[in-house]
Amino acid sequence: VSDLISELQTIVGDGHVLTAADLRAGYETDWTGRWQGESVAVVRPADTGEVSAVLRACASRRVAVVTQGGNTGLVGGATPAGPPPAIVLSMRRLDSIGDADPALMQLPCGAGVTLARLQQAAADAGLQAGLDLAARDSATVGGLAACNAGGLQAIRYGTARRRIAGLEAVLADGGVVSKMSGLAKDNAGYDLASLLIGSEGTLAVITRVLWSMVPRFADRALALVAVDSAAAAVAGARALLPRLPSLELLELIDEPSLRISLEYLAGSPPVPITPAWLLVGCASTGDAQEELAAALVESGLDERTVVAVDATRRQRLLSIRESVTEAIASAGVPHKLDVGVPLATLESFLDELPAVVGAAAPGARTFVYGHLGDGNLHVNLLGPAPDDESADEAVLELAARSGGTITAEHGVGRHKPQYLSLVRSDAEIAAMRAIKRALDPEGVLNPGVILA
Ligand SMILES: Cc1cc2nc3c(=O)[nH]c(=O)nc-3n(C[C@H](O)[C@H](O)[C@H](O)COP(=O)(O)OP(=O)(O)OC[C@H]3O[C@@H](n4cnc5c(N)ncnc54)[C@H](O)[C@@H]3O)c2cc1C
């Protein structure tokens, strides 16, 4: 390994190869504290050429490369697990933003650009990024692409896949693939860029992304609605979806989640505390408040409701939803599941959930919140030991039985390879293995992530 370290130092400079344990520590534990590992070094390249040289150096010695952006992923995908010995490849220095093309609404970004900076650059161009999530200050564009992130606005603008017009990446052998022309139509062979989106660092290292922005809708309104049951929340979502073309977010916060968030924020409830709250946001070229109010009345959701229009009041309501994740993490090491369940079966999933968790992990505290409009709910559990998978397995089986998926946005990571067969057939997993072998024959890129 020592000759690898000196080669890496030659490639990226001594100061960007971190070998001391205290300097590596922050890169070797994930955001939740549930996933930890050890690397021989954290390597911080500055550009695509350096990434390519680092990958060649590692591949020739069969040293694993665990790519990391903002380290906000929630499934352990950016944490080394070993064996084999691994480096953490930190992408944060690839943080340059190119010139926006206002006509095509495209913005070239280095993989290490944070979502918050992307959002600011889009706003400076009179547009918006069309993707938002609470980890915006740390999560990187490369991480968003690698996880095909969703977030609060996916219901309107899609997941990262829809927001990415092209990308550049380095393959395991150091070869560079690039599709940064911005062409809307380009059918010359397999679409490698699309394949790499959602590949969680297992097929290539993404170095640049051509981000596809969306128009900025100046008129916005946000409602918080108290409902009497999870069933009423699902029915409310189904009623709103066809009635509100300007819908931009549709979130659920169950009672345990809203209580822990209010406690964390030391805030008072803006509407009565009930078994569930809905957060409904719209962004319009017309009158957002009027459109939202009309849809709430038509959907029978206009009682026990507050509507915020100005940015400060909207942010105050949104922070109750956004703080749930941090509030839970501050109370222990959470088990985080992000299932997707079709709206048609979501009510029965939510009905069965308490008994399923209760049987697998008696006494566990269950929190349910998330992107209801997409059928994507975050089921968080506090209580089970970090390595106790009983409740995770039971919840994922329930999601699969309900016609859903084991992960709607966070990905498979190190957490869920053993559950992949719940939702993917043998033929599908075999095809995934064949792709992995073809692009990474030595298995150096994020070993153990997605495929066990
Ligand atoms: C408070 C909070 C809220 C969140 N909310 C949401 C949400 O609403 N929706 C959502 O989808 N996610 C959410 N997440 C999860 C996380 O923010 C996203 O998955 C994000 O896309 C991860 O970006 P990152 O740069 O932090 O990636 P990391 O955590 O560093 O890495 C995540 C995965 O991507 C790979 N990777 C990272 N960069 C690259 C690259 N350049 N090339 C190849 N592979 C790479 C890693 O190897 C790893 O497998 C949330 C997380 C937190 C902490």
Side-chain angles (χ1 to χ4, degrees):
V1 168
S2 66
D3 69 316
L4 172 66
I5 300 291
S6 63
E7 187 174 342
L8 294 172
Q9 284 167 335
T10 307
I11 296 166
V12 300
D14 290 6
H16 295 296
V17 181
L18 315 180
T19 52
D22 57 335
L23 297 180
R24 295 189 332 252
Y27 298 85
E28 294 176 341
T29 301
D30 85 320
W31 191 90
T32 64
R34 194 176 175 198
W35 312 102
Q36 286 156 6
E38 209 181 315
S39 65
V40 294
V42 174
V43 182
R44 302 171 7 102
D47 58 30
T48 305
E50 290 187 6
V51 172
S52 171
V54 168
L55 288 197
R56 271 199 307 273
C58 290
S60 66
R61 295 170 176 87
R62 296 196 182 174
V63 167
V65 176
V66 177
T67 307
Q68 189 176 100
N71 200 13
T72 68
L74 299 171
V75 287
T79 312
I87 64 154
V88 172
L89 184 70
S90 170
M91 298 299 287
R92 288 182 223 172
R93 288 178 70 217
L94 280 80
D95 63 353
S96 65
I97 298 185
D99 293 332
D101 181 329
L104 295 179
M105 299 196 289
Q106 291 173 349
L107 183 71
C109 295
V113 170
T114 62
L115 174 58
R117 278 190 64 218
L118 163 66
Q119 290 174 332
Q120 187 55 54
D124 293 344
L127 299 164
Q128 57 172 341
L131 193 146
D132 194 22
L133 46 83
R136 60 183 76 77
D137 290 324
S138 305
T140 62
V141 166
L144 299 173
C147 298
N148 185 23
L152 297 159
Q153 300 177 342
I155 191 160
R156 174 92 169 252
Y157 310 115
T159 62
R161 184 182 301 283
R162 191 150 26 115
R163 302 270 51 84
I164 293 176
L167 56 76
E168 175 193 83
V170 180
L171 300 174
D173 64 2
V176 177
V177 295
S178 178
K179 188 181 181 192
M180 293 288 287
S181 66
L183 285 171
K185 300 168 104 176
D186 181 354
N187 284 345
Y190 300 133
D191 188 346
L192 296 178
S194 190
L195 175 66
L196 297 184
I197 296 169
S199 66
E200 300 185 48
T202 62
L203 299 181
V205 177
I206 296 164
T207 46
R208 287 202 299 154
V209 169
L210 189 61
W211 195 265
S212 178
M213 299 175 285
V214 301
R216 189 176 173 79
F217 300 104
D219 213 61
R220 283 164 194 276
L222 187 67
L224 185 63
V225 185
V227 295
D228 285 326
S229 62
V234 176
R238 291 179 66 91
L240 282 168
L241 281 168
R243 290 183 170 82
L244 198 47
S246 55
L247 185 69
E248 201 179 43
L249 65 90
L250 179 44
E251 300 284 308
L252 170 82
I253 321 173
D254 79 348
E255 188 176 336
S257 305
L258 64 91
R259 282 189 186 277
I260 199 169
S261 177
L262 289 172
E263 200 176 304
Y264 181 75
L265 293 169
S268 49
V271 291
I273 288 186
T274 55
W277 286 356
L278 280 176
L279 199 58
V280 189
C282 59
S284 174
T285 47
D287 186 331
Q289 188 178 6
E290 206 172 280
E291 290 166 26
L292 179 57
L296 290 174
V297 170
E298 278 179 42
S299 308
L301 295 169
D302 53 327
E303 285 172 26
R304 295 174 300 173
T305 299
V306 287
V307 177
V309 178
D310 69 86
T312 312
R313 291 189 59 228
R314 277 191 280 119
Q315 188 48 44
R316 214 173 290 148
L317 294 186
L318 188 60
S319 70
I320 301 173
R321 158 66 185 88
E322 290 206 316
S323 299
V324 175
T325 314
E326 279 177 29
I328 294 170
S330 74
V333 175
H335 289 234
K336 299 188 79 70
L337 303 163
D338 80 307
V339 300
V341 178
L343 282 182
T345 53
L346 194 54
E347 192 185 322
S348 65
F349 170 87
L350 288 168
D351 279 349
E352 281 186 58
L353 185 65
V356 162
V357 173
R365 292 169 71 192
T366 308
F367 304 85
V368 181
Y369 61 97
H371 316 302
L372 176 64
D374 300 314
N376 170 199
L377 294 182
H378 302 318
V379 178
N380 283 210
L381 307 167
L382 280 177
D387 59 353
D388 178 356
E389 280 289 307
S390 337
D392 303 50
E393 184 174 353
V395 174
L396 297 179
E397 277 174 358
L398 176 62
R401 259 201 324 277
S402 308
T405 180
I406 58 169
T407 170
E409 46 181 30
H410 299 160
V412 177
R414 290 187 196 295
H415 182 200
K416 298 186 210 104
Q418 76 263 37
Y419 305 121
L420 199 54
S421 59
L422 288 173
V423 290
R424 294 288 179 261
S425 68
D426 290 349
E428 286 163 338
I429 292 173
M432 289 187 205
R433 284 195 191 285
I435 292 169
K436 171 72 176 169
R437 267 197 305 276
L439 292 188
D440 180 19
E442 305 292 349
V444 292
L445 296 178
N446 269 7
V449 168
I450 299 184
L451 298 165

